[in-house]
Amino acid sequence: MAQGYRQGADTGLDLDAWRRVVDGFHEAVVVLDPEGVVRLANPLASVLFPQARTGSALPDDAFGPSGDGVDGARRGRRQELGDGWVALYRSADDFLDDATRRLSSLTERAATVRAVVELAPAEHTVVVLPGLRGRLEWWRRTPAGDVAVARTTRQVAGTAPGLTAVLERLVDHAELTELGEGPWNASGVGVAVPLTEGGALICFGGTWHVELLKRFAARAAAAVEASTLFSDQQRTVEVLRADLLPTPLPDVLGARLAGVFEPAHRRALVGGDFYDVHPREDGSAAFVLGDVAGNGLEAAVHSGRVRQSLHTLLVVEQRPAQLLYLLNAALRAAGSRLFTTLVVGTMMPVQAGGLRLTLAAGGHPAPLVLRADGRVDEVPVHGGIVGVLPEVRFNQTTVVLAPGETLLLYSDGLTEARKYDDRQELFGDARLKAALADCAGLSADAVSDHLRRVVFDWLGEAEHDDLTLLVLQAAP
């Protein structure tokens, strides 16, 4: 330390004179000697550079090689003063702008609150937020250095005089000299400012610039509120999505099942396509694959309505064609404005081996059958679209699958998939039949994997419509 002071004198740096100058700066200023020891830090530096303590070496992780803080929000301009001495500068506006950029990039509530604790201009920060069932959340650093949350009753805040007034926005700040029973993980005097509604930012250590804390809290509050809203929306989507995604395919006597579900909006994982298989106690099963006009959330919600209606109607009707008549009437009565195409059917194991399938279709691409010899046949079943027209006809037909033979149901997302390097060229019926013919002798899972791979090789990284298929195979 004495050597550092001699170096200051030898290089002509009058630290007392420098201190009188920089104390009046509107920027944080830290001066390091050639050994990296902090020799001077003005009052604002204790807030914006809390790791910079006079007489101590600056921690290696405090700033990068050019004076950039590792957390991206405590960057400082670096100025060489000569003979190895360095000055670091930081303005409040730069700090706030960097903190805002960091916070605005976060969308998950817990991650945002942790970042507020880490970025706040303080040696130790506690964020108090309203929690569930009238409780309080206390976000703060643990002795291990990470950020954790503790939960208490609201009454605990009243044991720290002044905190409740901040939480209720009765005052714009308060000094907390008595901390009471809160899980602070801190000691000394804290300065509290309002954060979100019913929340507060409390900072410990340093020479306080209350206006800076208020400005930081305002930006932090906006980020916390935005991420809370986003997280709430995500939870709502997750709840809804659980009922909109295909359910796992069940075990069905005498059958092997596989499916592919690739919505156009991959991030949301929902779309207008759907499939379901409903086993019955007699060993048979009902199945459906449908396609609601459009894609995205609106189509997904309507597909959920169609699926639920079918599930209910299957209790009273099992004949595929009659089931479509009832579904059409039910959707029109509910005010449906989106049309749906679908194939419904039943499958029953045949005593001698194989499956007997009865199918009806409403405006949907014809199912395909892969025979044992590799031949691919269309199933001639037709009918009008479902859910829009009052008068619509449906017919049904029966198909028998020998052991190892396969029925393919698919949405038009397969045949209308556009080639990655020529958006005018569609995958088409002929390529689908050829790809299915290549699957002769393969298991149901292998058939679905092969068809998915072929179609996505065709698509490349290009956008696509909802793309769904259901493979029903007679057990070999």
Side-chain angles (χ1 to χ4, degrees):
M1 189 63 199
Q3 181 182 2
Y5 277 103
R6 286 197 301 273
Q7 289 175 334
D10 293 344
T11 57
L13 285 176
D14 186 338
L15 291 178
D16 289 336
W18 274 76
R19 184 174 293 106
R20 288 192 296 271
V21 172
V22 301
D23 279 357
F25 280 15
H26 293 295
E27 288 186 308
V29 181
V30 174
V31 176
L32 307 177
D33 69 17
E35 297 176 355
V37 173
V38 176
R39 298 292 303 281
L40 185 153
N42 68 351
L44 188 56
S46 67
V47 176
L48 300 188
F49 295 145
Q51 292 176 289
R53 299 181 179 179
T54 303
S56 299
L58 199 64
D60 292 337
D61 62 350
F63 306 98
S66 61
D68 290 347
V70 294
D71 61 11
R74 287 181 179 151
R75 296 176 186 147
R77 299 192 314 280
R78 185 184 184 95
Q79 177 68 50
E80 301 293 336
L81 302 178
D83 295 322
W85 287 71
V86 174
L88 300 172
Y89 302 89
R90 183 82 168 118
S91 75
D93 286 340
D94 287 343
F95 164 77
L96 292 170
D97 288 346
D98 284 340
T100 300
R101 281 191 289 272
R102 164 79 180 276
L103 293 171
S104 63
S105 68
L106 303 173
T107 56
E108 198 268 326
R109 178 180 182 269
T112 303
V113 180
R114 289 189 185 97
V116 171
V117 173
E118 293 169 348
L119 296 174
E123 294 180 7
H124 185 83
T125 302
V126 178
V127 170
V128 179
L129 293 173
L132 297 176
R133 296 183 293 276
R135 298 172 70 82
L136 289 178
E137 298 177 351
W138 302 70
W139 295 78
R140 71 278 186 263
R141 285 193 181 276
T142 67
D146 55 349
V147 176
V149 59
R151 293 172 176 85
T152 71
T153 62
R154 186 171 180 82
Q155 287 71 23
V156 171
T159 65
L163 179 56
T164 299
V166 174
L167 294 175
E168 296 177 354
R169 294 182 178 270
L170 301 177
V171 297
D172 64 1
H173 75 283
E175 283 194 2
L176 307 184
T177 57
E178 300 178 30
L179 300 184
E181 302 171 5
W184 300 100
N185 282 358
S187 60
V189 176
V191 175
V193 296
L195 192 62
T196 60
E197 186 70 28
L201 173 75
I202 305 98
C203 293
F204 294 84
T207 302
W208 293 112
H209 291 249
V210 174
E211 290 305 313
L212 175 61
L213 291 185
K214 291 179 183 177
R215 293 174 66 191
F216 175 81
R219 301 188 186 203
V224 171
E225 289 168 351
S227 63
T228 299
L229 178 61
F230 184 82
S231 295
D232 290 344
Q233 291 174 336
Q234 286 295 101
R235 281 192 292 271
T236 301
V237 169
E238 291 296 331
V239 171
L240 293 174
R241 188 162 58 192
D243 291 331
L244 298 176
L245 290 173
T247 56
L249 291 170
D251 293 328
V252 175
L253 182 65
R256 301 291 184 267
L257 310 177
V260 170
F261 177 74
E262 294 286 352
H265 297 277
R266 296 186 185 183
R267 182 173 180 180
L269 293 180
V270 294
D273 287 5
F274 63 93
Y275 62 75
D276 284 303
V277 177
H278 302 280
R280 300 190 181 112
E281 292 183 358
D282 63 0
S284 66
F287 58 87
V288 58
L289 184 143
D291 181 359
V292 172
N295 51 52
L297 187 57
E298 182 182 12
V301 170
H302 189 70
S303 73
R305 185 180 299 119
V306 174
R307 293 172 68 192
Q308 185 59 46
S309 298
L310 277 170
H311 187 73
T312 302
L313 291 172
L314 280 168
V315 176
V316 297
E317 181 57 67
Q318 299 180 6
R319 295 169 295 175
Q322 190 61 27
L323 190 62
L324 289 181
Y325 280 114
L326 294 176
L327 177 63
N328 186 68
L331 292 177
R332 292 192 69 253
S336 170
R337 291 181 294 180
L338 295 177
F339 69 80
T340 304
T341 71
L342 67 167
V343 177
V344 297
T346 60
M347 55 181 162
M348 174 69 78
V350 179
Q351 188 171 7
L355 293 172
R356 177 178 289 106
L357 310 174
T358 302
L359 302 97
H364 201 80
L368 300 176
V369 174
L370 174 62
R371 297 299 183 183
D373 60 3
R375 187 177 79 254
V376 174
D377 299 328
E378 286 191 5
V379 179
V381 60
H382 307 286
I385 60 175
V386 178
V388 177
L389 302 176
E391 299 294 334
V392 61
R393 288 182 172 274
F394 307 104
N395 69 335
Q396 67 183 41
T397 189
T398 298
V399 175
V400 177
L401 299 181
E405 293 186 335
T406 298
L407 176 78
L408 173 67
L409 309 179
Y410 60 95
S411 68
D412 59 12
L414 271 78
T415 52
E416 295 180 3
R418 297 181 181 274
K419 192 175 183 182
Y420 68 93
D421 59 353
D422 183 356
R423 303 297 288 163
Q424 300 302 310
E425 188 173 1
L426 303 181
F427 189 72
D429 296 331
R431 288 187 180 86
L432 177 58
K433 291 178 181 178
L436 182 58
D438 291 338
C439 297
L442 298 182
S443 68
D445 285 332
V447 171
S448 65
D449 289 344
H450 177 74
L451 295 178
R452 184 190 183 282
R453 182 170 59 255
V454 169
V455 173
F456 275 93
D457 285 346
W458 176 265
L459 282 165
E461 296 298 322
E463 294 181 354
H464 61 84
D465 195 2
D466 295 335
L467 190 156
T468 304
L469 62 85
L470 178 64
V471 176
L472 309 177
Q473 187 177 81

